[in-house]
């Protein structure tokens, strides 16, 4: 299931926020090389809830992902770990 797509400013990379099947680490951002269509890596694995949106910074040096859980999964008395997984903004900056 695809939640969001974003092209890097140079058009060389497509970031896709996806949910893959079931089990551990199903929510992630897949990076795809647009010239070859090959998978260039996975980011933000291990989140408890789906990654709802992704965006590159204007210069392409960072990728931002907004995470959240489905409204149907929100509970009245959520534990701290569950609350943390309920919503987060994550910034990825590749190492030079």
């Amino acid at each position: 299931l695809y939640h969001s797509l974003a092209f890097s400013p140079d058009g060389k990379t497509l970031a896709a926020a996806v949910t893959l099947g079931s089990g551990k680490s199903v929510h992630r951002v897949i990076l795809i090389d647009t010239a070859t269509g090959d998978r260039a890596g996975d980011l933000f694995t291990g989140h408890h809830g789906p990654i709802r949106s992704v965006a590159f910074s204007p210069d392409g040096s960072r990728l931002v992902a907004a995470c959240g859980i489905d409204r149907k999964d929100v509970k009245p008395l959520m534990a701290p770990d569950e609350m943390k997984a309920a919503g987060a903004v994550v910034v990825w900056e590749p190492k030079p």
Side-chain angles (χ1 to χ4, degrees):
L1 177 64
Y2 289 84
H3 298 284
S4 180
L5 300 170
F7 282 98
S8 62
D10 64 8
K12 294 180 180 180
T13 304
L14 174 66
V18 300
T19 298
L20 303 172
S22 61
K24 190 174 183 178
S25 296
V26 298
H27 308 294
R28 65 187 66 213
V29 173
I30 296 172
L31 298 179
I32 300 167
D33 181 312
T34 58
T36 64
D38 292 337
R39 197 164 169 166
D42 290 5
L43 303 175
F44 310 126
T45 59
H47 285 277
H48 299 290
I51 299 165
R52 298 295 185 186
S53 62
V54 289
F56 281 94
S57 63
D59 65 0
S61 66
R62 293 178 182 89
L63 180 66
V64 177
C67 309
I69 62 174
D70 291 326
R71 186 177 296 267
K72 67 179 176 46
D73 295 327
V74 174
K75 303 171 194 158
L77 297 173
M78 294 177 77
D81 286 346
E82 292 174 312
M83 290 295 283
K84 185 176 179 183
V89 173
V90 181
V91 178
W92 176 74
E93 188 172 15
K95 305 270 190 247

Coordinates of all heavy atoms in Angstrom, one line a residue:
L1 N 0.8 -1.2 0.0 CA 0.0 0.0 0.0 C 0.9 1.2 0.0 O 1.8 1.4 0.8 CB -0.9 0.0 1.2 CG -1.8 1.2 1.5 CD1 -2.8 1.3 0.4 CD2 -2.5 1.0 2.8
Y2 N 0.7 2.1 -1.0 CA 1.4 3.4 -1.1 C 0.7 4.5 -0.4 O -0.5 4.7 -0.6 CB 1.7 3.8 -2.5 CG 2.6 2.9 -3.2 CD1 2.2 1.7 -3.8 CD2 4.0 3.2 -3.3 CE1 3.2 0.8 -4.4 CE2 4.9 2.4 -3.9 CZ 4.5 1.2 -4.5 OH 5.4 0.3 -5.1
H3 N 1.4 5.2 0.5 CA 0.7 6.4 1.2 C 1.1 7.7 0.6 O 0.3 8.6 0.6 CB 1.1 6.4 2.7 CG 0.7 5.1 3.4 ND1 -0.6 4.9 3.8 CD2 1.4 4.0 3.8 CE1 -0.7 3.7 4.4 NE2 0.5 3.2 4.4
S4 N 2.3 7.8 0.1 CA 2.8 9.1 -0.5 C 4.0 8.9 -1.4 O 4.8 7.9 -1.1 CB 3.2 10.0 0.7 OG 3.6 11.2 0.3
L5 N 4.2 9.7 -2.3 CA 5.3 9.7 -3.2 C 5.9 11.1 -3.3 O 5.2 12.1 -3.3 CB 4.9 9.3 -4.6 CG 4.3 7.9 -4.8 CD1 3.7 7.8 -6.2 CD2 5.3 6.8 -4.5
A6 N 7.3 11.1 -3.5 CA 7.9 12.4 -3.6 C 9.2 12.2 -4.5 O 10.0 11.3 -4.3 CB 8.4 13.0 -2.3
F7 N 9.3 13.1 -5.5 CA 10.5 13.1 -6.3 C 11.6 14.0 -5.7 O 11.2 15.1 -5.2 CB 10.3 13.6 -7.8 CG 9.6 12.5 -8.6 CD1 8.2 12.5 -8.8 CD2 10.4 11.6 -9.2 CE1 7.6 11.6 -9.6 CE2 9.8 10.6 -10.0 CZ 8.4 10.6 -10.2
S8 N 12.8 13.7 -5.8 CA 13.9 14.6 -5.3 C 13.9 15.7 -6.3 O 13.5 15.6 -7.4 CB 15.2 13.8 -5.3 OG 15.6 13.4 -6.6
P9 N 14.5 16.9 -5.9 CA 14.5 18.1 -6.7 C 15.2 17.8 -8.1 O 14.9 18.4 -9.1 CB 15.3 19.1 -5.9 CG 15.0 18.7 -4.5 CD 14.9 17.2 -4.5
D10 N 16.2 16.9 -8.1 CA 17.0 16.7 -9.3 C 16.3 15.6 -10.1 O 16.7 15.3 -11.3 CB 18.4 16.3 -9.0 CG 18.6 15.0 -8.2 OD1 17.6 14.3 -8.0 OD2 19.7 14.7 -7.8
G11 N 15.2 15.0 -9.6 CA 14.4 14.0 -10.4 C 15.1 12.6 -10.4 O 14.6 11.7 -11.1
K12 N 16.2 12.4 -9.7 CA 16.9 11.1 -9.8 C 16.4 10.1 -8.8 O 16.7 8.9 -9.0 CB 18.4 11.4 -9.6 CG 19.1 12.2 -10.7 CD 20.5 12.4 -10.4 CE 21.2 13.2 -11.5 NZ 22.6 13.4 -11.3
T13 N 15.7 10.5 -7.8 CA 15.2 9.6 -6.8 C 13.7 9.8 -6.5 O 13.3 10.9 -6.5 CB 16.0 9.8 -5.5 OG1 17.4 9.7 -5.7 CG2 15.6 8.8 -4.4
L14 N 13.0 8.7 -6.4 CA 11.6 8.7 -6.0 C 11.5 8.1 -4.6 O 12.0 7.0 -4.4 CB 10.7 7.9 -6.9 CG 9.3 7.7 -6.6 CD1 8.6 9.1 -6.6 CD2 8.6 6.7 -7.5
A15 N 10.9 8.8 -3.6 CA 10.7 8.3 -2.3 C 9.3 7.8 -2.2 O 8.4 8.6 -2.5 CB 11.0 9.3 -1.3
A16 N 9.0 6.6 -1.8 CA 7.7 6.1 -1.7 C 7.4 5.6 -0.2 O 8.1 4.7 0.3 CB 7.5 4.9 -2.6
A17 N 6.4 6.2 0.4 CA 6.0 5.8 1.8 C 5.1 4.6 1.6 O 4.0 4.8 0.9 CB 5.4 6.9 2.5
V18 N 5.4 3.5 2.1 CA 4.7 2.2 1.9 C 4.4 1.4 3.1 O 5.1 1.6 4.1 CB 5.4 1.3 0.9 CG1 5.6 2.0 -0.5 CG2 6.7 0.8 1.4
T19 N 3.4 0.6 3.1 CA 3.2 -0.4 4.0 C 3.2 -1.8 3.3 O 2.5 -1.9 2.3 CB 1.8 -0.3 4.7 OG1 1.8 1.0 5.4 CG2 1.5 -1.4 5.7
L20 N 4.1 -2.6 3.7 CA 4.4 -3.9 3.0 C 3.9 -5.1 3.8 O 4.4 -5.4 4.9 CB 5.9 -4.1 2.7 CG 6.5 -3.0 1.9 CD1 8.0 -3.2 1.9 CD2 6.0 -2.9 0.5
G21 N 2.8 -5.7 3.4 CA 2.3 -6.9 4.0 C 2.0 -6.8 5.5 O 1.5 -5.8 5.9
S22 N 2.5 -7.8 6.3 CA 2.3 -7.7 7.7 C 3.5 -8.2 8.4 O 4.4 -8.8 7.8 CB 1.1 -8.6 8.1 OG 1.3 -10.0 7.7
G23 N 3.6 -8.0 9.7 CA 4.8 -8.4 10.5 C 5.6 -7.3 10.9 O 5.1 -6.1 11.0
K24 N 6.9 -7.5 11.2 CA 7.7 -6.5 11.8 C 8.3 -5.6 10.7 O 8.6 -6.1 9.6 CB 8.9 -7.2 12.5 CG 9.7 -6.2 13.4 CD 10.7 -7.0 14.2 CE 11.5 -6.0 15.0 NZ 12.4 -6.7 15.9
S25 N 8.4 -4.3 10.9 CA 9.0 -3.3 10.0 C 8.3 -3.3 8.7 O 9.0 -3.2 7.6 CB 10.5 -3.6 9.8 OG 11.2 -3.4 11.0
V26 N 7.0 -3.3 8.7 CA 6.2 -3.2 7.4 C 6.1 -1.8 6.9 O 5.9 -1.6 5.7 CB 4.8 -3.8 7.5 CG1 5.0 -5.3 7.9 CG2 4.0 -3.1 8.5
H27 N 6.3 -0.8 7.8 CA 6.2 0.6 7.4 C 7.5 1.2 7.1 O 8.4 1.1 7.9 CB 5.5 1.4 8.5 CG 4.2 0.9 8.9 ND1 3.1 0.8 8.1 CD2 3.8 0.3 10.1 CE1 2.1 0.2 8.8 NE2 2.5 -0.1 10.0
R28 N 7.7 1.8 5.9 CA 9.0 2.3 5.5 C 8.9 3.2 4.4 O 7.9 3.3 3.7 CB 10.0 1.1 5.2 CG 9.5 0.3 3.9 CD 10.3 -0.9 3.7 NE 10.1 -1.8 4.8 CZ 11.1 -2.7 5.2 NH1 12.2 -2.7 4.6 NH2 10.8 -3.5 6.2
V29 N 10.0 3.9 4.1 CA 10.2 4.7 2.8 C 11.1 3.9 1.9 O 12.2 3.6 2.4 CB 10.7 6.1 3.1 CG1 11.0 6.8 1.8 CG2 9.7 6.8 4.0
I30 N 10.7 3.6 0.7 CA 11.6 3.0 -0.3 C 12.1 4.1 -1.2 O 11.4 4.9 -1.7 CB 10.8 2.0 -1.1 CG1 10.3 0.8 -0.2 CG2 11.6 1.4 -2.2 CD1 9.3 -0.1 -0.9
L31 N 13.4 4.0 -1.4 CA 14.0 5.0 -2.4 C 14.2 4.2 -3.7 O 14.7 3.1 -3.7 CB 15.4 5.5 -1.8 CG 15.3 6.2 -0.5 CD1 16.7 6.6 -0.1 CD2 14.4 7.5 -0.7
I32 N 13.8 4.8 -4.8 CA 13.9 4.2 -6.1 C 14.7 5.1 -7.0 O 14.4 6.3 -7.1 CB 12.5 4.0 -6.7 CG1 11.7 3.0 -5.7 CG2 12.6 3.4 -8.1 CD1 10.2 3.0 -6.0
D33 N 15.7 4.5 -7.7 CA 16.5 5.3 -8.7 C 15.6 5.4 -10.0 O 15.1 4.4 -10.6 CB 17.7 4.4 -9.1 CG 18.6 5.1 -10.1 OD1 18.1 5.6 -11.1 OD2 19.8 5.2 -9.9
T34 N 15.2 6.6 -10.3 CA 14.3 6.9 -11.4 C 14.8 6.5 -12.8 O 14.1 6.2 -13.7 CB 13.8 8.3 -11.4 OG1 14.9 9.2 -11.6 CG2 13.0 8.6 -10.2
A35 N 16.1 6.5 -13.0 CA 16.7 6.1 -14.3 C 16.6 4.6 -14.5 O 16.4 4.2 -15.7 CB 18.2 6.6 -14.3
T36 N 16.8 3.8 -13.5 CA 16.8 2.4 -13.7 C 15.6 1.7 -13.1 O 15.3 0.5 -13.5 CB 18.1 1.8 -12.9 OG1 17.9 2.0 -11.5 CG2 19.4 2.4 -13.4
G37 N 14.9 2.3 -12.2 CA 13.8 1.7 -11.6 C 14.2 0.8 -10.4 O 13.4 0.1 -9.8
D38 N 15.5 0.7 -10.1 CA 16.0 -0.2 -9.1 C 15.8 0.5 -7.7 O 15.8 1.7 -7.5 CB 17.5 -0.4 -9.2 CG 17.9 -1.2 -10.5 OD1 17.0 -2.0 -10.9 OD2 19.0 -1.1 -11.0
R39 N 15.6 -0.4 -6.7 CA 15.4 0.0 -5.4 C 16.8 0.5 -4.8 O 17.8 -0.3 -4.9 CB 14.9 -1.2 -4.5 CG 14.3 -0.8 -3.2 CD 13.5 -2.0 -2.8 NE 13.1 -1.9 -1.4 CZ 12.2 -2.7 -0.9 NH1 11.6 -3.6 -1.7 NH2 11.8 -2.6 0.3
A40 N 16.9 1.7 -4.3 CA 18.1 2.2 -3.9 C 18.3 2.2 -2.4 O 19.3 2.6 -1.8 CB 18.3 3.7 -4.4
G41 N 17.3 1.7 -1.7 CA 17.4 1.6 -0.2 C 16.1 1.8 0.5 O 15.1 2.2 -0.1
D42 N 16.0 1.5 1.8 CA 14.9 1.6 2.6 C 15.2 2.5 3.8 O 16.3 2.4 4.4 CB 14.4 0.3 3.2 CG 13.8 -0.7 2.2 OD1 13.9 -0.3 1.0 OD2 13.3 -1.7 2.5
L43 N 14.3 3.4 4.2 CA 14.5 4.3 5.3 C 13.4 4.2 6.3 O 12.3 3.7 5.9 CB 14.6 5.7 4.8 CG 15.6 6.1 3.7 CD1 15.4 7.5 3.3 CD2 17.0 5.9 4.3
F44 N 13.6 4.7 7.5 CA 12.6 4.8 8.5 C 11.9 3.4 8.8 O 10.7 3.4 9.1 CB 11.5 5.8 8.1 CG 12.0 7.1 7.7 CD1 11.7 7.7 6.5 CD2 12.9 7.8 8.5 CE1 12.2 8.9 6.0 CE2 13.4 9.1 8.1 CZ 13.1 9.6 6.8
T45 N 12.6 2.4 8.7 CA 12.0 1.1 9.1 C 11.8 1.0 10.6 O 12.5 1.6 11.3 CB 12.9 -0.1 8.6 OG1 14.1 0.0 9.2 CG2 13.0 -0.1 7.1
G46 N 10.9 0.2 11.0 CA 10.7 -0.1 12.4 C 9.6 0.8 13.1 O 9.4 0.8 14.3
H47 N 8.9 1.7 12.3 CA 7.9 2.5 12.8 C 6.6 1.6 13.1 O 6.4 0.7 12.4 CB 7.5 3.6 11.9 CG 8.6 4.7 11.9 ND1 8.6 5.7 12.9 CD2 9.6 4.9 11.2 CE1 9.6 6.5 12.7 NE2 10.3 6.0 11.6
H48 N 5.9 2.0 14.1 CA 4.7 1.2 14.5 C 3.5 1.6 13.6 O 2.6 0.8 13.4 CB 4.4 1.4 16.0 CG 5.5 1.0 16.9 ND1 5.8 -0.3 17.0 CD2 6.3 1.7 17.6 CE1 6.8 -0.4 17.9 NE2 7.2 0.8 18.2
G49 N 3.5 2.8 13.1 CA 2.4 3.2 12.3 C 2.8 3.6 10.9 O 4.0 3.8 10.7
P50 N 1.9 3.7 10.0 CA 2.3 4.0 8.6 C 2.9 5.4 8.5 O 2.6 6.3 9.2 CB 1.0 4.0 7.9 CG -0.1 4.0 8.9 CD 0.5 3.6 10.2
I51 N 3.7 5.6 7.5 CA 4.3 6.8 7.1 C 3.4 7.5 6.2 O 3.1 7.0 5.1 CB 5.7 6.6 6.5 CG1 6.6 6.0 7.6 CG2 6.3 8.0 6.1 CD1 7.9 5.4 7.1
R52 N 2.8 8.6 6.6 CA 1.7 9.2 5.8 C 2.1 10.1 4.7 O 1.4 10.2 3.7 CB 0.8 10.0 6.8 CG 0.1 9.1 7.8 CD -0.8 8.2 7.2 NE -1.6 7.4 8.1 CZ -2.4 6.5 7.8 NH1 -2.5 6.1 6.6 NH2 -3.0 5.8 8.8
S53 N 3.3 10.8 4.8 CA 3.7 11.6 3.8 C 5.2 11.8 3.8 O 5.9 11.6 4.8 CB 3.1 13.0 3.9 OG 3.4 13.6 5.1
V54 N 5.8 12.1 2.6 CA 7.2 12.3 2.5 C 7.4 13.5 1.6 O 6.6 13.8 0.7 CB 8.0 11.1 1.9 CG1 8.0 9.9 2.8 CG2 7.3 10.7 0.6
A55 N 8.6 14.2 1.9 CA 8.9 15.4 1.1 C 10.4 15.6 1.2 O 11.0 15.4 2.2 CB 8.2 16.6 1.6
F56 N 11.0 16.0 0.0 CA 12.4 16.4 0.0 C 12.5 17.9 0.3 O 11.7 18.6 -0.1 CB 13.0 16.1 -1.4 CG 13.3 14.6 -1.6 CD1 12.4 13.8 -2.3 CD2 14.6 14.1 -1.2 CE1 12.7 12.5 -2.5 CE2 14.9 12.8 -1.5 CZ 14.0 12.0 -2.1
S57 N 13.7 18.3 0.9 CA 14.0 19.7 1.0 C 14.2 20.2 -0.4 O 14.6 19.5 -1.3 CB 15.1 19.9 2.0 OG 16.3 19.3 1.4
P58 N 14.1 21.5 -0.6 CA 14.3 22.1 -1.9 C 15.7 21.8 -2.5 O 15.8 21.7 -3.7 CB 14.2 23.6 -1.7 CG 13.3 23.7 -0.5 CD 13.6 22.6 0.4
D59 N 16.7 21.7 -1.6 CA 18.0 21.3 -2.2 C 18.3 19.8 -2.3 O 19.4 19.4 -2.7 CB 19.1 22.0 -1.4 CG 19.2 21.5 0.1 OD1 18.5 20.6 0.5 OD2 20.1 22.0 0.8
G60 N 17.3 19.0 -1.8 CA 17.5 17.6 -1.9 C 18.4 17.0 -0.8 O 18.6 15.7 -0.8
S61 N 18.8 17.7 0.1 CA 19.8 17.2 1.1 C 19.1 16.5 2.3 O 19.7 15.8 3.0 CB 20.6 18.4 1.7 OG 19.8 19.3 2.4
R62 N 17.7 16.7 2.4 CA 17.0 16.0 3.5 C 15.7 15.4 2.9 O 15.1 15.9 2.0 CB 16.7 17.0 4.6 CG 17.9 17.5 5.3 CD 17.5 18.5 6.4 NE 18.6 19.0 7.0 CZ 19.3 20.1 6.6 NH1 19.0 20.8 5.6 NH2 20.4 20.5 7.3
L63 N 15.2 14.4 3.6 CA 13.9 13.8 3.3 C 13.2 13.8 4.6 O 13.7 13.4 5.7 CB 14.1 12.4 2.8 CG 12.8 11.7 2.5 CD1 12.1 12.3 1.3 CD2 13.1 10.2 2.2
V64 N 12.0 14.3 4.6 CA 11.1 14.4 5.8 C 10.0 13.5 5.7 O 9.4 13.4 4.6 CB 10.6 15.9 6.0 CG1 9.7 16.0 7.2 CG2 11.8 16.9 6.1
A65 N 9.7 12.8 6.7 CA 8.5 11.8 6.7 C 7.6 12.1 7.9 O 8.1 12.3 9.0 CB 9.0 10.4 6.8
A66 N 6.3 12.1 7.7 CA 5.4 12.3 8.8 C 4.7 11.0 9.0 O 4.2 10.3 8.1 CB 4.3 13.4 8.4
C67 N 4.7 10.5 10.2 CA 4.2 9.2 10.6 C 3.0 9.3 11.5 O 2.8 10.3 12.2 CB 5.3 8.4 11.4 SG 6.9 8.4 10.6
G68 N 2.1 8.3 11.4 CA 0.9 8.4 12.2 C 0.2 7.0 12.2 O 0.5 6.2 11.3
I69 N -0.7 6.9 13.1 CA -1.5 5.6 13.1 C -2.9 5.9 12.6 O -3.3 7.1 12.5 CB -1.6 5.0 14.5 CG1 -2.2 6.0 15.5 CG2 -0.2 4.6 15.0 CD1 -2.5 5.3 16.9
D70 N -3.6 4.9 12.2 CA -5.0 5.0 11.8 C -5.8 5.5 12.9 O -5.7 5.0 14.0 CB -5.5 3.7 11.2 CG -4.8 3.3 9.9 OD1 -4.5 4.3 9.1 OD2 -4.6 2.1 9.6
R71 N -6.8 6.3 12.6 CA -7.7 6.8 13.7 C -8.4 5.7 14.4 O -8.6 5.7 15.6 CB -8.7 7.7 13.0 CG -9.6 8.4 14.0 CD -10.6 9.4 13.3 NE -9.9 10.5 12.7 CZ -9.7 11.6 13.3 NH1 -10.1 11.8 14.5 NH2 -9.1 12.6 12.6
K72 N -8.7 4.6 13.7 CA -9.4 3.4 14.3 C -8.5 2.7 15.3 O -9.0 2.0 16.2 CB -9.8 2.5 13.2 CG -8.7 1.8 12.5 CD -9.2 0.8 11.4 CE -8.2 0.1 10.6 NZ -7.0 -0.4 11.3
D73 N -7.2 3.0 15.3 CA -6.3 2.3 16.2 C -5.9 3.1 17.5 O -5.2 2.7 18.3 CB -5.0 2.0 15.5 CG -5.2 0.9 14.4 OD1 -6.1 0.1 14.6 OD2 -4.4 1.0 13.4
V74 N -6.5 4.4 17.5 CA -6.2 5.2 18.7 C -7.0 4.7 19.9 O -8.2 4.4 19.7 CB -6.6 6.7 18.4 CG1 -6.5 7.6 19.7 CG2 -5.7 7.3 17.3
K75 N -6.4 4.6 21.0 CA -7.0 4.0 22.2 C -7.1 5.1 23.3 O -6.3 6.0 23.3 CB -6.2 2.9 22.8 CG -6.0 1.7 21.8 CD -5.1 0.7 22.3 CE -4.6 -0.2 21.2 NZ -3.4 -0.8 21.5
P76 N -8.1 5.1 24.1 CA -8.3 6.1 25.2 C -7.0 6.2 26.1 O -6.6 7.3 26.5 CB -9.5 5.7 25.9 CG -10.3 4.8 25.0 CD -9.2 4.2 24.2
L77 N -6.5 5.1 26.5 CA -5.4 5.2 27.5 C -4.1 4.5 26.9 O -3.8 3.4 27.2 CB -5.8 4.4 28.8 CG -6.9 5.1 29.6 CD1 -7.3 4.2 30.7 CD2 -6.5 6.4 30.1
M78 N -3.5 5.2 25.9 CA -2.4 4.6 25.2 C -1.1 4.7 26.1 O -0.9 5.7 26.8 CB -2.2 5.4 23.9 CG -3.3 5.1 22.9 SD -3.1 6.1 21.4 CE -1.9 5.0 20.6
A79 N -0.3 3.7 26.0 CA 1.0 3.7 26.7 C 2.0 4.7 26.1 O 1.8 5.1 24.9 CB 1.6 2.3 26.7
P80 N 3.0 5.2 26.8 CA 3.9 6.2 26.2 C 4.5 5.7 24.9 O 4.6 6.6 23.9 CB 5.0 6.3 27.3 CG 4.3 6.0 28.5 CD 3.3 4.9 28.2
D81 N 4.9 4.5 24.7 CA 5.5 4.0 23.4 C 4.4 4.1 22.3 O 4.7 4.4 21.2 CB 6.0 2.6 23.6 CG 7.3 2.5 24.3 OD1 7.9 3.6 24.5 OD2 7.7 1.4 24.7
E82 N 3.2 3.8 22.7 CA 2.1 3.8 21.7 C 1.9 5.3 21.3 O 1.6 5.6 20.1 CB 0.8 3.2 22.2 CG 0.9 1.7 22.4 CD -0.3 1.2 23.1 OE1 -0.8 1.7 24.1 OE2 -0.8 0.2 22.6
M83 N 1.9 6.2 22.2 CA 1.7 7.6 21.9 C 2.8 8.1 21.0 O 2.6 8.9 20.1 CB 1.7 8.4 23.2 CG 0.5 8.2 24.1 SD -1.0 8.7 23.3 CE -0.9 10.5 23.5
K84 N 4.0 7.7 21.3 CA 5.2 8.1 20.4 C 5.0 7.7 19.0 O 5.3 8.4 18.1 CB 6.5 7.6 21.0 CG 7.7 8.1 20.3 CD 9.0 7.5 21.0 CE 10.2 8.0 20.2 NZ 11.4 7.5 20.8
A85 N 4.5 6.4 18.9 CA 4.3 5.9 17.5 C 3.1 6.5 16.8 O 2.9 6.4 15.6 CB 4.1 4.4 17.6
A86 N 2.2 7.2 17.6 CA 1.0 7.7 17.0 C 1.2 8.9 16.1 O 0.4 9.2 15.2 CB 0.0 8.2 18.2
G87 N 2.3 9.6 16.3 CA 2.6 10.7 15.4 C 4.1 11.2 15.6 O 4.5 11.3 16.7
A88 N 4.8 11.3 14.5 CA 6.1 11.8 14.6 C 6.5 12.4 13.2 O 6.0 12.0 12.2 CB 7.1 10.7 14.9
V89 N 7.5 13.3 13.3 CA 8.1 13.8 12.1 C 9.6 13.4 12.1 O 10.2 13.6 13.1 CB 8.0 15.3 12.0 CG1 8.8 15.9 10.8 CG2 6.5 15.7 11.9
V90 N 10.0 12.7 11.1 CA 11.4 12.2 11.1 C 12.1 12.8 9.9 O 11.6 12.9 8.8 CB 11.4 10.7 10.9 CG1 12.8 10.1 10.9 CG2 10.5 10.0 12.0
V91 N 13.4 13.3 10.1 CA 14.2 13.9 9.1 C 15.4 13.0 8.8 O 16.1 12.6 9.8 CB 14.7 15.3 9.5 CG1 15.6 15.9 8.4 CG2 13.5 16.2 9.8
W92 N 15.6 12.7 7.6 CA 16.7 11.8 7.2 C 17.7 12.7 6.4 O 17.3 13.4 5.5 CB 16.3 10.7 6.3 CG 17.4 9.8 5.8 CD1 18.2 9.0 6.5 CD2 17.9 9.8 4.4 NE1 19.1 8.4 5.7 CE2 18.9 8.9 4.4 CE3 17.5 10.5 3.3 CZ2 19.6 8.6 3.2 CZ3 18.2 10.2 2.1 CH2 19.3 9.3 2.1
E93 N 18.9 12.7 6.8 CA 20.0 13.4 6.1 C 21.1 12.5 5.8 O 21.7 11.9 6.7 CB 20.5 14.6 7.0 CG 21.4 15.5 6.3 CD 21.7 16.7 7.2 OE1 21.5 16.7 8.4 OE2 22.2 17.7 6.6
P94 N 21.3 12.2 4.5 CA 22.4 11.2 4.1 C 23.8 11.7 4.6 O 24.0 12.9 4.6 CB 22.3 11.1 2.6 CG 21.6 12.3 2.2 CD 20.7 12.8 3.3
K95 N 24.6 10.7 4.9 CA 26.0 11.0 5.3 C 26.7 11.2 4.0 O 26.6 10.5 3.0 CB 26.6 9.8 6.0 CG 25.8 9.4 7.2 CD 26.3 10.1 8.5 CE 25.6 9.5 9.7 NZ 24.7 10.4 10.4
P96 N 27.6 12.3 4.0 CA 28.4 12.5 2.7 C 29.4 11.4 2.4 O 29.7 10.6 3.2 CB 29.1 13.9 3.0 CG 28.9 14.1 4.5 CD 27.9 13.2 5.0

